[in-house]
């Protein structure tokens, strides 16, 4: 029964064509994204913690091409530590590139 209810609600939302989220100012998104990139690239854990929600969850998808976290990383402190490890520490010792991209009209990073 639960699956049917979820499907019914999903169809209702699609048919209503309501937006799920309020629009966010593009300049604000760009500013926050830049702050995030700067904190991650410089190893500023405190800077990352100010940008992350306490219950932040990071899910990685390697596309089967490289190693990625197999389980979600849960909690702001753990997410910040993982980001600093990848973007700051590991980046110095590898040829990894980090690029800003746009997915679903939202800034994203590809490493």
């Amino acid at each position: 029964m639960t699956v049917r209810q979820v499907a019914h609600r999903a169809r209702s939302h699609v048919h209503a064509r309501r937006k799920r989220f309020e629009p966010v100012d593009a300049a604000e998104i760009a500013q926050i994204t830049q702050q995030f990139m700067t904190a991650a690239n410089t190893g500023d854990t405190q800077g990352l913690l100010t940008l992350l929600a306490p219950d932040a969850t990071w899910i990685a998808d390697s596309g089967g091409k490289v190693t990625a976290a197999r389980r979600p990383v849960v909690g702001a402190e753990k997410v910040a530590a993982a980001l600093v490890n990848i973007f700051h520490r590991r980046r110095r010792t590898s040829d990894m590139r980090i690029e800003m991209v746009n997915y679903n009209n939202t800034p994203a990073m590809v490493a």
Side-chain angles (χ1 to χ4, degrees), residues 14-27:
V14 169
H15 290 299
R17 297 192 185 274
R18 292 182 300 232
K19 295 201 184 255
R20 288 181 56 198
F21 306 103
E22 294 295 319
V24 180
D25 180 38

Side-chain angles (χ1 to χ4, degrees), residues 33-49:
T33 302
Q34 186 58 49
Q35 287 174 322
F36 183 89
M37 286 294 293
T38 300
N41 283 324
T42 61
D44 180 8
T45 304
Q46 279 307 120
L48 286 170
L49 288 173

Side-chain angles (χ1 to χ4, degrees), residues 86-99:
I86 290 171
F87 289 92
H88 183 66
R89 292 188 191 115
R90 197 179 301 174
R91 188 172 180 188
R92 289 184 292 172
T93 60
S94 73
D95 61 351
M96 181 174 66
R97 287 187 352 251
I98 300 170
E99 296 179 27

Side-chain angles (χ1 to χ4, degrees), residues 33 36-37 40 83 87 98-103 107-111:
T33 302
F36 183 89
M37 286 294 293
L83 289 168
F87 289 92
I98 300 170
E99 296 179 27
M100 292 296 302
V101 295
N102 189 332
Y103 284 110
M109 292 176 277
V110 175

Side-chain angles (χ1 to χ4, degrees), residues 11-79:
R11 280 191 292 277
S12 295
H13 285 290
V14 169
H15 290 299
R17 297 192 185 274
R18 292 182 300 232
K19 295 201 184 255
R20 288 181 56 198
F21 306 103
E22 294 295 319
V24 180
D25 180 38
E28 184 179 359
I29 291 173
Q31 176 192 4
I32 292 169
T33 302
Q34 186 58 49
Q35 287 174 322
F36 183 89
M37 286 294 293
T38 300
N41 283 324
T42 61
D44 180 8
T45 304
Q46 279 307 120
L48 286 170
L49 288 173
T50 63
L51 296 167
L52 295 171
D55 61 346
T57 301
W58 176 37
I59 300 171
D61 181 2
S62 69
K65 297 179 182 179
V66 295
T67 302
R70 293 180 185 203
R71 293 191 176 108
V73 177
V74 181
E77 290 84 9
K78 289 180 181 179
V79 171

Side-chain angles (χ1 to χ4, degrees), residues 1-13:
M1 182 65 179
T2 303
V3 173
R4 288 183 182 183
Q5 184 62 41
V6 170
H8 172 73
R9 288 179 183 156
R11 280 191 292 277
S12 295
H13 285 290

